[in-house]
Amino acid sequence: MPYHYNTPEDKQAMLSAIGAESVDVLFDSIPAELKLGRRLDLPPALSELELDQHLRELASRNTPAGEAVCFLGAGSYDHFIPAVVDTIGSRSEFYTSYTPYQAEASQGNLQVMFEYQSLITELTGLDVSNASLYDGASAAAEAVLMAISATGRHGKVIVPESLHPEYRATIATYLENLATEVVTIPTSGGVVDPEILSEAVDEETAAVVLQQPNFFGCVEDAAEVNRITKKAGALLIAVFDPMSLGVLKRPGDYGANIAVAEGHTLGSPMAYGGPYLGIMACEKSLVRRMPGRIAGQTVDRRGNTCFVLTMQTREQHIRREKATSNVCTNQGLFALRATVYLAQLGPQGLRETASLCLQKSRYAAEQLCQHERFSLAFEEPTFKEFVIRDRENRVDDLLKSALDRGYLAGLPLGRWYPELADCFLVAVTEKRTKAEIDGLVSTLTKASERVSVPATV
Amino acid sequence: MRNSRDTQLLCELSRPGRRAARLPACDVPERDIADLLPTEATASSPPALPEVTEPQIVRHFVNLSTMNMSVDTHFYPLGSCTMKYNPKRNERAAAMPGFADLHPCQPEETIQGMLALLYEMQEYFQEISGLPACSLQPAAGAHGELTALLVAAAYFKDLGENRSKVLVPDNAHGTNPASAAMAGYRSITVKTTSDGFVDMADLASKLDDEVAVMMITNPSTLGLFEPHMREIADQVHARGGLIYLDGANMNAILGITRPGDWGADMQHYNPHKTFSGPHGGGGPGAGPICVIEKLAPYLPTPIVRKEDSLYALDFNLPKTIGRVRSFFGNVGVLVRAYAYIRTHGPDGLREVSENAVLNANYLLSRVKHILPVPQGNRCMHEFVASANTLKKDKGITAMDIAKRLLDYGFHAPTVYFPLTVPEAMMCEPTESESKETLDAFAEVLFRITEEDAELLHDAPHSTAVSRPDEVRAARQPVLTWAALSEAN
């Protein structure tokens, strides 16, 4: 059997030392009537070679980015992962360790957490960061709980429709049994309408959650949203795209009190949706309400600088039901990958990556819209994603035909936005070449010609 | 051998003008950013990230990695965390482009292999737990607890019952009461007896019609199988409540007994523990949950269904609680767990538990002569020793022993948990350790108890860092390198 050591002689010696006749006896504390009494109904064991062959067969029934050209986005993106990230992420001293409860045996992990926190604060323009949460959506829900607790306002939180629908759904699930109501406000032209927001936000509002750039890819007037939010005494929670901060203002710079993000794009694969990296940063005044692990610098008994987990009185293992959150794990390995990724990019690399996303996505949008069938659904400026309206309202057929030609061309929006049933969301990262973009445009327009020209016999 | 020069902070290694990444030239017609984005939204310069080279990055992080203990380098008997060997074949599986490079919103026809794997995982988890429905969505054990409690809340709301309490034994993981509070419940503590079992009289006094759920860890955090399990479940069910099983300790019972067969209505798994996905320095894990039939309509969506030979995502659960995160779940962790289950099969999984329990009992038989184990001579996959006598006699604490173990090349057990055992040292050797290692650990433990108290108070002596000042860290928090320059 694969990973245990005990030979029959070992077992005998161990059982003698225990004073047990057999291994079965060790399970005597389980009442006999509760025992399974049969084998689990699972497939028989595979050797490593057979496993490898089986997994290859399963994998061959998938079409990953690389086999198809990926223009899908909506919170998960096909960004480039430098080799150095995989090299460091594969160090088993990192990936086979656990939460650094024993600081002396975990200085590597603890310093990485400290460096990660430092990079995230630089990235967001906020004072403090935790050592990571599960993903962007659950981080947004945790931020909402923080805001409710910090403001003492239990009335409502406001989420515009331009916030990722799955983030809105997650927030709603987290708040389902609490007093606070989630108020969804409509958007105008793909962005928050200041008038609608002004009417919705009041002295019972704990927070407004603003995604920048938003789910549709549009750049919001964050300063205006912040002004309206703060006028009512509510907190601004920003959901940001880490890559966008190479060109866009940082959440802290436009007044966000808490900033959260999906951070898988910083060096971790799309992996069909997880595991991902929940980034969270906030103002100093909110740090004791923050969920999750936090590393801090201190000195040891010899006076040497070192790192420890700190402010643990917020956490479940100390405070139990009074903790700020039930979160126990962080996403240490992905925080490490993000740290390496950001170090590898540096300020110029981040700016250039962001700029490539911006230039290429705008080129793609323009090229598509040169065809009469397509138009941009919203006029607002975009960063790396945009919504295309199909004037023929045959999005599913269109995307299906693009897929047949090797393009994951976009995400239909009708499932979340019935009024956008004729629209799809397209994301363009730095990985997409001009040839791929031109190919996409040509494929979509050809598909369109085939559909729009009646067949002649 | 570690080189401490390169483990300076990245910000200290940074020099203006250095860089590691070169990006491709822009191959589309380039426009001025000011023409593309409103100036009030744009930043004049990028964030002040460090400027370092790739060789520096590699030397920095590789040297940092050597400052960790890990399963691949050391015995890591951290109780409750199941620090077993992390098979390398699992890592290779998760990294296959056919899994790693899938976008979560791809059409179903392009991910049939992925969905097949996830469908099988639902089936395996159901079979191992004896519970007939599964959601793979939660991202961690505590997230699974929260999800299941929200499922329970939706179920009771649907029944029109207003139940406000969750019962939690006093030796439970802290996540249990914290999850109950997050789900909007009042957490009520149930006492355990000196034997470490649920105090049935205390349970009876607290069990009423307002109890929605009793959360129980079985085998418990003391490594004991709860003898009254069936009775507890029957009593809670008789009052209309549900039983939640904290699945942290599934490594003890794979193929031997199933929570669904003793009355559990819901449970989570920790695939990063039981099914060997690595712990990653604190994550990512995963927290899939299984539930009984009547709770299935409330699970988060989507669920993978199989129709004929095709796999599809089912979003159509009208009573679903919704979502607890974005996208499908921690798929990369589930792929590793799949590889683990497939390479073990039903007999192999049972042998995992047999060896985990054998190893724990053997270590217990060696350790109990050195440190008392208040809750008995036998255990399941772990046991809790106490340094309380040693503390009284010689002033040596559980923390002293934990720190001194590091000097001898062993990671420490979990200390000061559960709270019900004074000076607790929770040892979980797992199945993937040898008798020689367990012998060596016991011998070192004995040697430490014979050592001078002063030596132990200052331990560890061989590590680069010893006894960090945690009070200072909490009172004068320095949480970023920017704060560091402010502090100086």
Side-chain angles (χ1 to χ4, degrees), chain A residues 1-4 39-40 42-48 50-51, chain B residues 84-87 89-90 124 128 251 254 273-277 336-355 431-432:
Chain A
M1 273 301 134
Y3 315 116
H4 26 89
R39 296 164 92 203
L40 286 169
L42 296 172
L46 300 177
S47 65
E48 181 174 357
E50 290 165 314
L51 174 77
Chain B
K84 64 168 71 179
Y85 173 65
N86 307 126
R89 65 190 66 168
N90 298 4
Y124 300 167
I128 293 166
N251 210 44
L254 299 171
K273 297 180 183 176
T274 315
F275 302 111
S276 80
R336 291 172 172 88
Y338 180 83
Y340 189 79
I341 292 173
R342 290 306 307 266
T343 45
H344 280 78
D347 299 331
L349 287 183
R350 189 182 163 104
E351 283 184 44
V352 163
S353 289
E354 287 177 349
N355 283 283
E431 71 282 4
S432 56

Side-chain angles (χ1 to χ4, degrees), chain A residues 54 104 297 330 359 366, chain B residues 31 127 257 282 338 403 484:
Chain A
H54 168 64
E104 291 93 338
Q297 200 194 52
N330 60 71
Q359 299 285 354
E366 278 163 22
Chain B
R31 291 164 53 186
E127 167 65 7
T257 182
Y338 180 83
K403 297 296 185 193
L484 195 61

Side-chain angles (χ1 to χ4, degrees), chain A residues 34 38-39 41 54 63 76 92 104-105 135 166 173 247 249 271-273 297-299 301 330 359 366, chain B residues 31 40-41 43 60 69 72 100 102-103 110 127 179 257 282 323 325-327 338 347 403 458 467 469 484:
Chain A
L34 300 187
R38 64 166 173 86
R39 296 164 92 203
D41 183 14
H54 168 64
T63 309
S76 175
S92 64
E104 291 93 338
D135 78 329
E166 293 191 350
T173 304
V247 290
K249 272 198 177 128
Y272 194 58
Q297 200 194 52
T298 186
V299 294
R301 71 176 169 84
N330 60 71
Q359 299 285 354
E366 278 163 22
Chain B
R31 291 164 53 186
E40 58 273 22
H60 175 73
M69 279 186 169
D72 277 3
L102 296 179
H103 189 281
T110 67
E127 167 65 7
S179 297
T257 182
R323 290 195 152 272
R325 54 162 295 159
S326 59
F327 307 124
Y338 180 83
D347 299 331
K403 297 296 185 193
D458 285 344
R467 303 268 178 156
D469 186 343
L484 195 61

Side-chain angles (χ1 to χ4, degrees), chain B residues 170-444:
Chain B
D170 56 14
N171 59 6
H173 299 107
T175 51
N176 289 186
S179 297
M182 268 184 98
Y185 287 110
R186 202 145 50 89
S187 171
I188 310 283
T189 304
V190 176
K191 288 183 193 144
T192 52
T193 62
S194 58
D195 297 335
F197 303 125
V198 170
D199 182 330
M200 296 304 285
D202 195 54
L203 172 62
S205 74
K206 287 168 181 167
L207 184 58
D208 59 26
D209 296 341
E210 284 184 29
V211 171
V213 177
M214 171 148 184
M215 303 180 83
I216 189 159
T217 310
N218 190 29
S220 70
T221 56
L222 292 164
L224 304 172
F225 195 89
E226 176 58 55
H228 307 297
M229 188 61 235
R230 188 73 244 186
E231 206 180 329
I232 293 168
D234 288 346
Q235 291 184 11
V236 170
H237 289 154
R239 303 302 293 261
L242 299 169
I243 295 285
Y244 181 83
L245 187 274
D246 179 331
N249 297 336
M250 288 299 288
N251 210 44
I253 59 170
L254 299 171
I256 290 162
T257 182
R258 307 190 303 172
D261 298 339
W262 14 277
D265 302 297
M266 318 178 265
Q267 81 155 98
H268 76 258
Y269 286 93
N270 299 97
H272 48 294
K273 297 180 183 176
T274 315
F275 302 111
S276 80
H279 284 69
I289 58 170
C290 289
V291 301
I292 53 171
E293 204 68 59
K294 70 178 177 186
L295 298 176
Y298 307 93
L299 287 174
T301 56
I303 308 276
V304 187
R305 309 277 187 217
K306 185 179 182 183
E307 288 147 26
D308 301 322
S309 58
L310 282 182
Y311 298 90
L313 292 173
D314 183 0
F315 287 92
N316 186 27
L317 261 62
K319 294 181 174 180
T320 177
I321 59 164
R323 290 195 152 272
V324 290
R325 54 162 295 159
S326 59
F327 307 124
F328 186 85
N330 278 4
V331 174
V333 179
L334 299 172
V335 171
R336 291 172 172 88
Y338 180 83
Y340 189 79
I341 292 173
R342 290 306 307 266
T343 45
H344 280 78
D347 299 331
L349 287 183
R350 189 182 163 104
E351 283 184 44
V352 163
S353 289
E354 287 177 349
N355 283 283
V357 171
L358 176 63
N359 280 1
N361 276 283
Y362 178 66
L363 189 61
L364 167 65
S365 76
R366 299 285 319 254
V367 165
K368 69 183 178 190
H369 307 296
I370 306 164
L371 292 173
V373 178
Q375 279 78 21
N377 286 322
R378 289 282 171 81
C379 64
M380 298 295 286
H381 63 299
E382 68 188 2
F383 61 88
V384 180
S386 170
N388 206 32
T389 316
L390 208 57
K391 188 182 174 189
K392 281 180 189 147
D393 295 350
K394 293 175 71 177
I396 296 172
T397 65
M399 188 61 84
D400 291 338
I401 298 171
K403 297 296 185 193
R404 185 63 176 149
L405 278 166
L406 306 178
D407 280 331
Y408 287 99
F410 292 113
H411 195 280
T414 298
V415 288
Y416 300 104
F417 181 79
L419 310 171
T420 49
V421 177
E423 298 296 317
M425 303 195 75
M426 185 192 234
C427 303
E428 181 181 13
T430 83
E431 71 282 4
S432 56
E433 295 295 340
S434 66
K435 178 173 176 294
E436 301 93 282
T437 300
L438 304 181
D439 285 335
F441 180 79
E443 278 153 27
V444 159

Side-chain angles (χ1 to χ4, degrees), chain A residues 135-137 139-140 167 238-242 259-264 277-280:
Chain A
D135 78 329
Y167 286 46
V239 177
F240 64 98
D241 173 352
V260 297
E262 176 46 67
H264 96 83
L277 174 69
I279 293 173
M280 177 185 269

